[in-house]
Amino acid sequence: MQRILNDPDNIVDEMLVGFTKAHADIVTPTNNSRVLKYVGAPCKGRVGVATGGGSGHKPAFVGYIGKNMCDAVAVGEICTSPTAIAFLDAFRAADSGKGVACLYGNYSGDNMNVKMAIRMATKEGIEVKTVVANDDAASAPKDQCEKRRGVAGEIFMWKVGCAKAATGASLDEVITSAQKAIDNTRSVGIGLTPCTLPAVGHPNFTIEEGTMEVGIGHHGEPGIEVCPLESADQMARRMVDIVVNDYPFVEGNEVAVLVSGLGATPIMELYVLYAEVERLLHKKKIKIYKTYVGNYFTSLDMMGVTLTIMKLDDELKELMDMEAYSVGLKQA
Amino acid sequence: MQRILNDPDNIVDEMLVGFTKAHADIVTPTNNSRVLKYVGAPCKGRVGVATGGGSGHKPAFVGYIGKNMCDAVAVGEICTSPTAIAFLDAFRAADSGKGVACLYGNYSGDNMNVKMAIRMATKEGIEVKTVVANDDAASAPKDQCEKRRGVAGEIFMWKVGCAKAATGASLDEVITSAQKAIDNTRSVGIGLTPCTLPAVGHPNFTIEEGTMEVGIGHHGEPGIEVCPLESADQMARRMVDIVVNDYPFVEGNEVAVLVSGLGATPIMELYVLYAEVERLLHKKKIKIYKTYVGNYFTSLDMMGVTLTIMKLDDELKELMDMEAYSVGLKQA
Amino acid sequence: MFKNAEGKSIVLNMAKAIHDNKAYLGEIDGLIGDGDHGMNMNKGFSCFSERFSDKKITFSEGLEELGMVLLNEIGGSMGPIYGTIFMEMADTANGADEIDLALFSKMLDAGMEGLFRIVDARVGDKTVVDTLSPACDVLHEALAAKKSFLEALENMKAAAIVGMESTKSLVAKFGRSSRLGERSRGVLDAGAVSCCIILCAMADGIKKLSSDQIGTI
Amino acid sequence: MFKNAEGKSIVLNMAKAIHDNKAYLGEIDGLIGDGDHGMNMNKGFSCFSERFSDKKITFSEGLEELGMVLLNEIGGSMGPIYGTIFMEMADTANGADEIDLALFSKMLDAGMEGLFRIVDARVGDKTVVDTLSPACDVLHEALAAKKSFLEALENMKAAAIVGMESTKSLVAKFGRSSRLGERSRGVLDAGAVSCCIILCAMADGIKKLSSDQIGTI
Ligand SMILES: Nc1ncnc2c1ncn2[C@@H]1O[C@H](COP(=O)(O)OP(=O)(O)O)[C@@H](O)[C@H]1O
Ligand SMILES: Nc1ncnc2c1ncn2[C@@H]1O[C@H](COP(=O)(O)OP(=O)(O)O)[C@@H](O)[C@H]1O
Ligand SMILES: [Mg+2]
Ligand SMILES: [Mg+2]
Ligand SMILES: [Mg+2]
Ligand SMILES: [Mg+2]
């Protein structure tokens, strides 16, 4: 394992030290070493937005703390939900008295810890409501949507929810907009190589050279199909088909598109794939209003790519267009 | 090779299609398919800034086109200098009549092609002056500075040069500031795995598991030493020592620091390394004024990291602080 | 029957068993999960061992502290799941000087009831529950049949192993692997395995303690 | 002596040789450079072959077009270096109907002089120059000794090979590998190898053409 590490069991804490020092203009530590918050949080008169999740997905999750982005983030071990206490402390850091929207991904650990944290927060008089991202179309059949994983679509959910909070909207309004964002969003991933948890030291699953895993999860959870490695254009077609047919996105829709690398895939390859995604959507007369290409939600050193598409309406367009300033997402 | 490709010989052109479509708000194509320019270029009344280089270093070079960033970029094949014609067309696209600063890296192909392009530009009445980045302290002894490669320090050279141009400065002033930036800058890289050129299909050099290559170049050029893989803290110490002693940076200096991944190293590991870099500089009483951590200048799918430090004075601080909006570097 | 005050070694024995099986648990979780089960479990249990190796605490206090570490410092699925189980067990034992089969059975029941308040998984869903539930059942049977504590513990180990092995042919209904549907069949559930390791280590720890406190069981 | 008008096959022969050695050149460049030499050379030469395979052009026009492709479409170090060499050779031949040893020698000289205007490398610096320069020299000697064109070409091939092999023991002074200092010793220079391949293919192409045009050489 050719990695930059000291004690692999301590990597999350060490990473947080570096992150906090490098981005002191945006994030600030809290009393809980596993919770970071926006320098401006809690934002007076605004609903707070909190999230959290396991580590190893940089820039997610702490990279989405910022201006008009998340107020506080609970940080877990690699690929492991943060503790209930960490979520609670994130709620505390985010709350200005107007309540907290906890926008997180659908994983059983996160569900349990968030549930416990909310119970404690409620006792303290902090109102918390949740939106649970479940955009990964490959992670369960459509009639079991509630089982689906949250993946890169969480970024759209955060962007929309946080922008809504920035408008001064109420907690219910923020929840409604963030829920609409994720309901309008579908993702799918293709894995080309496995990832290695630093403390394990070797990949815990294999993707044979010359094959690819369609529908892989952000933690290396197996996908729906292992098939021979395809060309970029074929991958794009496969991903567009899964995502477009699942929602479904139809002629005339306006959409936001996010192509994210899983970590170790050279960025230039994401653009090669995006070129074909764009052509395919154009052919289906689906209009791309906004595009993001880059490493937005990764899985340690995994090679591969995810495609995320969100259908926009006037409200979502306005919220997606709002200025934002975080490590992972900056827009004027 | 687990990569996202169609025809590997065509990857640069396909990447440019995707890049141009994804970032139409920032970049725009030109008549030369290997030259992209800023949507606002040439900027009236301003010195133009052009650069160029081989592909495979995303976000470099096209990712540094933007507002208060580069006006035009010539794009080469993977790890290969752009053609003289491409540099010429980049000069044409950047020039508003006030001349063009060509800020590029010290590679023999680029030197030859830029030289030929300048000869042609001069005939057309376009004034071009150059700064040649040579920040890689490991690439030649100090007394042969003129042989040193340009690496991630080019980003500081561009940031400073472009900001200076944005102030309305003259060509000579832009050149002087950009030259000062690179003269004040030193970098070093450590490679942990080799990279694979898509058209070759296998790595063209090896870094044995359990070893690392100190001083590796952005194209996999061999470094100054191959040694057993070290901890993040030891790597940080080694890099800080090389960079700090070469310039040398001394107590009381204020600096900008850039830790860039080489492509496939998980970003969280860069923060682990940065945490130690920060501690070491702090101990040396060198003050970090500004920090950048991320994949700013990469080498395809190579694992590894580069450290870049630039000494600041009041002018450089002001120029580094200026707002910028490009794919690779956005700051408010 | 064993003295609560002397039961710290039982909890340390559980921690050792998890430590010894760290890699194995990671491998199993890697097949249909994300591979971190051994790592996280070990982190929590080791943390407990280090912190309390030279402190005097009872069995029930040990369970309480272990539960707190898991819940408040480890997170993941295991924090809430084992955290709840151990803390409920501790609550039930609290105040007791001695722990006999009846009380031990009640403790495990309380652990499972606590778990059922936070997860919807039941027997057959390919989770920890498939190990824990038959273990509880067999203790009831042993109590009814007036078996010795020692024999009951042997029965519990056997039931836990059978329960754990039953997960192999099941399809996961909860947790990360539940999205795999049919593809989750054919391999063990990581949580069911760790639960089996814990229950066996707990039983062995009690037996060892009892044999040291000759004749107390 | 051969007819310029019939010399397209010589340039195609050069392109084929580069194509056949693409992987080999990449490997050599990988040792102390960045591994792209075979890829880039092949891209340029193939592009020429495809574009002109069914067009009627002369030897000197072929060199001119190949030089233009390298210079304007390939870039890298090879664009300027071989672009300049081939275009200077073409310039020198232009207008000539027939190319004899004297003219051929002049063409190669012009190529090298052109190269010297854009690079500072000279013999001993571990570059293309180490192959090209002795090739030029040996043609002068052959001319002075009034050797046949055929014999001169054989001499040129031999000199190019010796020149290429000399780079093995040299330390690189220019280009990417020059930063390695002593570490660049012990392996061939990629550019010197490709130059040798080109010169040999050029010689063989001329010989083949001459044997087809029986007795013209
Ligand atoms: N909702 C749930 N109900 C019951 N058990 C669960 C649930 N979710 C997860 N588990 C148990 O947790 C185990 C996985 O634990 P672990 O790997 O530590 O967490 P994670 O899946 O978050 O990585 C599974 O094997 C399963 O036994
Ligand atoms: N300044 C120079 N002078 C002479 N020859 C050079 C110079 N720079 C490079 N070369 C030649 O170019 C070869 C490398 O070519 P290539 O790999 O295509 O370019 P690059 O080094 O840009 O990747 C070297 O082996 C050397 O022969
Ligand atoms: Mg996990
Ligand atoms: Mg090159
Ligand atoms: Mg797991
Ligand atoms: Mg090369």
Side-chain angles (χ1 to χ4, degrees), chain A:
Chain A
M1 192 185 48
Q2 297 292 88
R3 306 280 282 274
I4 304 174
L5 299 167
N6 294 307
D7 175 5
D9 284 328
N10 209 20
I11 185 171
V12 174
D13 290 319
E14 295 189 40
M15 173 274 286
L16 288 173
V17 170
F19 188 87
T20 312
K21 287 196 162 141
H23 306 298
D25 54 328
I26 300 179
V27 302
T28 209
T30 68
N31 287 337
N32 186 326
S33 66
R34 288 305 181 87
V35 176
L36 297 188
K37 66 171 191 129
Y38 173 48
V39 288
C43 304
K44 265 243 167 81
R46 279 196 198 175
V47 168
V49 178
T51 187
S55 294
H57 305 298
K58 277 264 151 345
F61 294 83
V62 286
Y64 296 107
I65 294 172
K67 183 175 170 197
N68 297 345
M69 292 295 290
C70 299
D71 294 298
V73 166
V75 179
E77 286 301 309
I78 306 259
C79 292
T80 300
S81 166
T83 63
I85 296 289
F87 275 113
L88 174 63
D89 282 331
F91 300 159
R92 288 170 173 156
D95 187 40
S96 74
K98 308 260 295 175
V100 175
C102 177
L103 313 178
Y104 73 101
N106 190 24
Y107 296 92
S108 116
D110 297 286
N111 284 328
M112 288 186 265
N113 286 297
V114 167
K115 200 192 279 183
M116 296 180 115
I118 292 179
R119 213 180 298 156
M120 299 186 269
T122 309
K123 282 188 198 154
E124 291 183 17
I126 301 175
E127 189 183 13
V128 182
K129 295 194 172 177
T130 62
V131 177
V132 188
N134 60 342
D135 51 305
D136 188 345
S139 56
K142 202 173 169 174
D143 60 354
Q144 296 170 40
C145 256
E146 74 292 346
K147 279 200 177 170
R148 287 180 171 179
R149 294 182 289 250
V151 285
E154 297 184 29
I155 292 159
F156 287 162
M157 169 181 73
W158 294 323
K159 178 73 186 75
V160 165
C162 297
K164 189 73 183 183
T167 66
S170 71
L171 178 55
D172 282 331
E173 288 166 336
V174 170
I175 292 292
T176 303
S177 299
Q179 186 70 55
K180 176 164 76 178
I182 205 69
D183 287 344
N184 282 7
T185 299
R186 292 294 183 281
S187 300
V188 70
I190 291 184
L192 303 185
T193 65
C195 59
T196 294
L197 302 178
V200 174
H202 55 81
N204 54 45
F205 62 104
T206 44
I207 298 176
E208 297 294 336
E209 179 86 20
T211 68
M212 61 187 208
E213 178 126 8
V214 180
I216 199 161
H218 267 141
H219 311 86
E221 299 97 326
I224 46 177
E225 194 183 339
V226 175
C227 57
L229 186 63
E230 296 180 340
S231 72
D233 286 356
Q234 288 170 316
M235 286 186 213
R237 209 161 313 138
R238 197 185 268 275
M239 295 173 96
V240 165
D241 280 347
I242 292 175
V243 163
V244 165
N245 295 338
D246 189 88
Y247 179 71
F249 298 91
V250 296
E251 185 175 331
N253 283 173
E254 286 189 90
V255 298
V257 176
L258 165 62
V259 172
S260 176
L262 286 178
T265 284
I267 300 298
M268 75 182 299
E269 298 174 17
L270 304 181
Y271 287 108
V272 171
L273 184 108
Y274 177 70
E276 180 68 7
V277 168
E278 197 273 349
R279 268 188 295 268
L280 292 169
L281 293 182
H282 184 79
K283 236 171 63 187
K284 290 181 194 287
K285 301 204 169 64
I286 295 168
K287 199 183 154 231
I288 301 178
Y289 179 78
K290 232 179 162 68
T291 301
Y292 301 84
V293 179
N295 281 339
Y296 283 91
F297 206 122
T298 62
S299 305
L300 295 165
D301 59 333
M302 207 191 290
M303 281 187 156
V305 59
T306 61
L307 170 66
T308 300
I309 304 182
M310 171 167 71
K311 193 181 91 183
L312 299 169
D313 58 17
D314 288 343
E315 185 204 10
L316 291 179
K317 276 195 221 173
E318 209 181 299
L319 296 172
M320 286 301 291
D321 283 341
M322 186 185 281
E323 181 204 346
Y325 202 78
S326 62
V327 173
L329 183 71
K330 293 188 174 86
Q331 55 183 58

Side-chain angles (χ1 to χ4, degrees), chain C residues 30-215:
Chain C
L31 294 176
I32 53 172
D34 59 356
D36 62 352
H37 190 60
M39 197 170 88
N40 292 335
M41 290 289 284
N42 184 52
K43 206 162 189 172
F45 282 72
S46 301
C47 177
F48 167 81
S49 301
E50 276 164 36
R51 228 174 270 174
F52 293 96
S53 67
D54 51 7
K55 290 212 179 66
K56 212 182 137 54
I57 50 167
T58 67
F59 178 56
S60 57
E61 284 165 356
L63 288 175
E64 173 82 19
E65 294 292 348
L66 176 58
M68 295 271 278
V69 168
L70 292 171
L71 192 60
N72 295 339
E73 298 176 43
I74 301 306
S77 301
M78 290 306 102
I81 289 178
Y82 284 119
T84 300
I85 293 174
F86 295 145
M87 286 163 74
E88 292 291 342
M89 287 180 75
D91 270 6
T92 310
N94 244 355
D97 286 337
E98 293 184 327
I99 296 174
D100 59 7
L101 174 55
L103 179 53
F104 184 72
S105 167
K106 243 198 216 161
M107 288 167 66
L108 215 59
D109 285 347
M112 195 169 73
E113 280 154 26
L115 177 61
F116 283 175
R117 280 194 293 275
I118 63 164
V119 305
D120 294 324
R122 294 296 179 267
V123 170
D125 291 339
K126 197 173 181 120
T127 71
V128 275
V129 175
D130 290 306
T131 303
L132 188 58
S133 177
C136 288
D137 292 346
V138 96
L139 290 183
H140 295 163
E141 288 161 23
L143 254 182
K146 304 213 159 78
K147 291 187 182 175
S148 74
F149 198 171
L150 198 75
E151 197 180 346
L153 289 173
E154 283 306 318
N155 294 349
M156 179 185 84
K157 282 169 64 177
I161 292 170
V162 171
M164 167 192 87
E165 279 171 353
S166 76
T167 62
K168 190 155 188 173
S169 57
L170 293 172
V171 170
K173 290 277 168 15
F174 290 92
R176 223 171 269 286
S177 32
S178 66
R179 284 111 183 178
L180 296 177
E182 276 303 321
R183 283 181 65 189
S184 66
R185 214 193 285 279
V187 295
L188 293 167
D189 173 64
V193 175
S194 63
C195 186
C196 181
I197 291 168
I198 289 168
L199 290 178
C200 290
M202 206 185 294
D204 291 340
I206 295 173
K207 277 160 53 193
K208 174 90 172 40
L209 186 66
S210 315
S211 72
D212 292 350
Q213 311 171 346
I214 297 279

Side-chain angles (χ1 to χ4, degrees), chain B residues 251-306:
Chain B
E251 185 175 331
N253 283 173
E254 286 189 90
V255 299
V257 176
L258 165 62
V259 172
S260 176
L262 286 177
T265 283
I267 300 298
M268 74 182 300
E269 298 175 17
L270 305 181
Y271 286 107
V272 171
L273 184 108
Y274 176 70
E276 181 68 8
V277 168
E278 197 272 347
R279 267 189 294 267
L280 293 170
L281 293 181
H282 184 78
K283 238 171 62 188
K284 292 180 193 289
K285 300 204 171 64
I286 295 169
K287 197 182 156 228
I288 302 178
Y289 179 78
K290 232 180 163 66
T291 302
Y292 301 84
V293 179
N295 281 339
Y296 283 90
F297 205 123
T298 62
S299 305
L300 295 165
D301 60 333
M302 207 190 290
M303 279 186 159
V305 60
T306 61

Side-chain angles (χ1 to χ4, degrees), chain B residues 82-261:
Chain B
T83 63
I85 296 289
F87 274 113
L88 174 63
D89 282 331
F91 300 159
R92 288 169 172 157
D95 187 39
S96 74
K98 308 262 293 175
V100 175
C102 177
L103 313 178
Y104 72 102
N106 190 25
Y107 296 92
S108 112
D110 298 286
N111 284 327
M112 288 186 263
N113 286 297
V114 167
K115 201 193 279 182
M116 298 182 114
I118 292 179
R119 212 180 299 156
M120 300 186 267
T122 309
K123 284 188 197 156
E124 290 183 17
I126 302 175
E127 188 183 13
V128 182
K129 296 195 170 176
T130 62
V131 177
V132 188
N134 60 343
D135 52 305
D136 188 346
S139 57
K142 202 173 170 174
D143 59 353
Q144 296 170 41
C145 256
E146 73 291 347
K147 279 200 176 170
R148 287 181 171 178
R149 293 182 290 250
V151 284
E154 296 184 31
I155 292 158
F156 288 162
M157 169 181 71
W158 295 324
K159 177 74 187 75
V160 165
C162 297
K164 189 73 183 182
T167 66
S170 70
L171 178 55
D172 282 332
E173 289 167 335
V174 170
I175 291 292
T176 303
S177 299
Q179 187 69 56
K180 175 164 75 177
I182 205 69
D183 286 344
N184 282 6
T185 299
R186 293 297 183 279
S187 300
V188 69
I190 292 184
L192 302 185
T193 64
C195 59
T196 296
L197 303 177
V200 174
H202 55 82
N204 54 46
F205 62 106
T206 43
I207 298 177
E208 297 294 337
E209 178 88 19
T211 68
M212 60 187 209
E213 179 126 7
V214 181
I216 198 161
H218 268 140
H219 311 87
E221 298 98 326
I224 46 176
E225 194 184 338
V226 175
C227 57
L229 186 63
E230 296 179 341
S231 72
D233 286 355
Q234 288 169 316
M235 288 187 212
R237 210 162 310 139
R238 197 185 267 276
M239 297 173 96
V240 166
D241 280 349
I242 293 176
V243 164
V244 165
N245 295 339
D246 189 87
Y247 179 72
F249 299 91
V250 297
E251 185 175 331
N253 283 173
E254 286 189 90
V255 299
V257 176
L258 165 62
V259 172
S260 176

